[in-house]
Amino acid sequence: MKTENDAYLTLAALCAQGEHCQYEMTEKMRRWELSDEAQARIMQRLVSERYIDDERYARAFVKDKVRYNKWGRRKVEQALWQKRIDDDIRQRVLNEVDDEEYLNVLRPLLHQKRKTVKAASDYERNQKLMRFALNRGFTFDIIRQCLNIEDSDNPEDPEHPEHPE
């Protein structure tokens, strides 16, 4: 079991290395079996000294998950909810990401996935691609836009006007 000061120093060092939210730090303190009063004092100190800022954390989290993990809005939103980020912060930060960024992430994903999907028809292939994108957390409207673009850009498609017979 850690003392209150040891816990503060450990958490401050952890927060100095990377972004963390209040929920993560509270869970650590709970596992260390610190009293609720000590947890509240430490958390208040970490927030007032700007080691922890849930909005700053949410911005970094959203950016990383969209750009590097290739997650869609719904999956990111759910992950933030699980981290107990306030709804107003969650919505504000998610609204900062425009649809074009999601399209730029999803287009190459669908393009790569299309190469590996086995399907008897274009309809079946599109259904599988749609399921894939929905599982990644993309919204239906973004998926539809990408699939429409993919279909119009796919000259191997027998119904495409430039398809060599």
Side-chain angles (χ1 to χ4, degrees):
M1 191 162 118
K2 290 184 179 269
T3 66
E4 186 172 333
N5 194 48
D6 287 343
Y8 166 77
L9 293 173
T10 301
L11 295 177
L14 192 61
C15 290
Q17 294 172 359
E19 291 296 338
H20 293 280
C21 64
Q22 290 185 38
Y23 176 72
E24 291 172 340
M25 298 299 104
T26 302
E27 283 300 298
K28 283 194 180 303
M29 289 187 284
R30 188 185 55 76
R31 285 193 302 272
W32 294 336
E33 299 175 356
L34 289 172
S35 71
D36 290 344
E37 297 80 26
Q39 287 182 35
R41 285 191 299 272
I42 292 170
M43 187 58 64
Q44 192 277 326
R45 188 171 171 195
L46 289 170
V47 169
S48 69
E49 294 175 4
R50 303 223 0 110
Y51 281 108
I52 296 177
D53 181 337
D54 279 352
E55 188 164 344
R56 188 178 65 213
Y57 170 82
R59 277 198 177 83
F61 185 87
V62 168
K63 186 174 115 183
D64 285 354
K65 295 305 177 188
V66 171
R67 290 188 183 152
Y68 303 116
N69 293 46
K70 313 283 190 230
W71 285 8
R73 180 185 172 94
R74 297 284 177 240
K75 192 167 184 174
V76 174
E77 187 173 22
Q78 184 177 17
L80 288 173
W81 178 81
Q82 288 175 327
K83 300 254 186 202
R84 311 288 198 279
I85 302 297
D86 286 340
D87 190 48
D88 61 323
I89 293 173
R90 218 173 39 235
Q91 294 309 316
R92 187 170 48 246
V93 170
L94 285 167
N95 288 337
E96 290 173 3
V97 181
D98 65 338
D99 286 353
E100 193 61 37
E101 187 162 353
Y102 288 120
L103 286 168
N104 291 336
V105 167
L106 185 56
R107 275 187 202 117
L109 272 178
L110 288 176
H111 185 72
Q112 281 301 110
K113 186 69 174 172
R114 184 180 290 275
K115 295 175 184 177
T116 64
V117 169
K118 294 180 180 18
S121 68
D122 284 341
Y123 176 78
E124 185 183 341
R125 179 177 290 109
N126 281 343
Q127 291 303 307
K128 288 181 177 185
L129 290 171
M130 179 117 12
R131 246 189 329 274
F132 167 76
L134 285 169
N135 286 334
R136 283 288 191 135
F138 290 93
T139 57
F140 185 76
D141 57 323
I142 298 288
I143 298 167
R144 198 73 219 137
Q145 286 179 46
C146 285
L147 287 178
N148 288 341
I149 291 169
E150 281 280 313
D151 287 344
S152 66
D153 289 346
N154 188 1
E156 292 91 45
D157 182 351
E159 296 181 16
H160 192 277
E162 296 171 17
H163 179 68
E165 299 277 336

